[in-house]
Amino acid sequence: MRLYAAFIYVFLYAPIALIVFFSFNAGRYAMDWQGFSLDWYGRAFTNPIVTKALVTSLMIAGSTAVIATVVGTLCALGLERMRGWLRQLFDALIYVAIMVPGVVIGISTLIAFVTVFDAVNPALEAVGMARLQMGLWTVIAAHVLFNLAVVVLIIRARLAGMDRSLVEASEDLYATPFATFRQVVLPALLPSILAGFLLSFTFSFEDFIIAFFVAGPNTTLPIYVFSSIRRGVTPEINAIGTAVLLTSLALLMLAQFLLRARARAL
C-alpha cells in the first residue's frame, strides 16, 4: 500500500516538479537543460502582454473575491435562520453550484449573456446608449457564481460550530442586532470570511475554462498561457506557471492556517 501510494503521488506531482525545474533553464527550449538561470522569470514579467494579462487577472480575482465574500457571508447568515424545505432547496442549489463542471458553467453563462444582450441592446441603441458586450464584468459575474457557493459553505460550517449562548447573552444585555453582529458574530466569523476571500481569489485567478467562454476581447493570464503553449512550451511559460502555482499554494496554505487557527482557538 505504501508503494502504491508513493506511485500515485509521483504520478500526480512529477509533472508539476518538472515544470518548476525547467523554469530555471537557461536554454531556449522547455525540456533541453542548458544550465541554471533566472532570466526567463525576468523576461516573463517584463513582457507587456504578460503584465497586462496579469493585471487583468488580478482585477478579476480581486473583484470576484470581494463580491463573493460579502454576498456569501450575507447568504450564510440568512440560511442559518431559515428552516424547512426552503432551506433544503437552497442547500441543494449551493452544492449543485460546486459540483457543476466549469465547462458547463462557462457555456451556460455565455448563452445567458448572449440572450440578455440580444434582448437589451436594441433598446439601449434606441436611446443612444452603448451596447452591452463581453468584458471583465462578465468574467467577474461568472466567477462569483461558483465562488459564492464556496464562501457560503465555509462560513456556514463556522456558524454551525458557533456558541449560540454568546449571541443570546448579547441580546439579554439589550444589544441591538447590529451591535451583536459587529461585536460578537463578526469577530467569530472573521477567520472563515478571510479564508473564503482567499479561496475565492485563488479559484478566480487560476480559472481558464469559464474565463475562456465569457472574457470577450480580454486576456487573463491563464488564457495567455493557453494561447502560448499552442505554439510550443518555452521556459517562459514554465516560469509563469511556477509563479502562479506558488502564489496559489501560498494563498491556499494561508486560508487553511486561518481555519485551523480558529479551530484551535475554539
Side-chain angles (χ1 to χ4, degrees):
M1 292 298 294
R2 292 180 179 178
L3 182 61
Y4 177 76
F7 173 78
I8 294 298
Y9 278 108
V10 170
F11 178 79
L12 289 175
Y13 295 108
I16 299 176
L18 285 176
I19 290 176
V20 175
F21 176 75
F22 282 104
S23 69
F24 300 102
N25 184 15
R28 295 178 57 86
Y29 301 99
M31 304 301 290
D32 183 19
W33 182 258
Q34 297 293 325
F36 180 86
S37 176
L38 295 173
D39 290 345
W40 289 106
Y41 284 90
R43 295 186 187 183
F45 293 101
T46 55
N47 185 337
I49 301 177
V50 175
T51 53
K52 183 178 179 181
L54 175 61
V55 171
T56 300
S57 291
L58 291 174
M59 290 175 58
I60 292 173
S63 302
T64 299
V66 171
I67 297 172
T69 302
V70 173
V71 178
T73 301
L74 297 176
C75 288
L77 293 171
L79 289 173
E80 188 66 20
R81 295 178 176 271
M82 193 177 293
R83 295 292 182 270
W85 66 269
L86 193 58
R87 175 173 176 172
Q88 295 177 358
L89 174 62
F90 280 104
D91 286 343
L93 292 175
I94 290 171
Y95 287 112
V96 167
I98 294 178
M99 293 186 296
V100 171
V103 65
V104 176
I105 296 177
I107 294 173
S108 60
T109 50
L110 174 62
I111 294 173
F113 285 134
V114 170
T115 303
V116 172
F117 293 168
D118 290 342
V120 174
N121 280 337
L124 294 178
E125 290 180 340
V127 296
M129 297 180 65
R131 291 170 55 90
L132 295 177
Q133 59 183 356
M134 297 291 181
L136 296 183
W137 73 273
T138 55
V139 183
I140 293 170
H143 283 183
V144 169
L145 179 64
F146 69 89
N147 281 309
L148 183 64
V150 175
V151 175
V152 170
L153 289 179
I154 291 175
I155 295 179
R156 285 192 62 189
R158 174 67 193 98
L159 285 171
M162 184 175 171
D163 188 0
R164 299 295 302 177
S165 62
L166 297 176
V167 177
E168 295 173 357
S170 177
E171 293 174 348
D172 290 341
L173 294 174
Y174 302 102
T176 64
F178 178 75
T180 299
F181 172 78
R182 181 173 57 86
Q183 298 177 354
V184 178
V185 178
L186 184 59
L189 295 181
L190 189 57
S192 298
I193 293 174
L194 292 176
F197 176 88
L198 293 173
L199 289 175
S200 298
F201 184 93
T202 302
F203 294 156
S204 177
F205 182 78
E206 65 186 15
D207 173 71
F208 162 75
I209 297 176
I210 297 175
F212 181 78
F213 283 98
V214 298
N218 298 281
T219 300
T220 64
L221 194 60
I223 293 177
Y224 170 81
V225 171
F226 174 77
S227 301
S228 298
I229 63 175
R230 297 171 68 179
R231 301 188 297 269
V233 180
T234 64
E236 181 185 36
I237 299 301
N238 291 337
I240 295 172
T242 301
V244 172
L245 172 66
L246 295 179
T247 302
S248 300
L249 288 178
L251 292 176
L252 290 173
M253 291 173 63
L254 180 58
Q256 187 67 19
F257 171 78
L258 291 173
L259 291 174
R260 289 187 176 182
R262 186 60 192 178
R264 288 194 299 266
L266 296 174

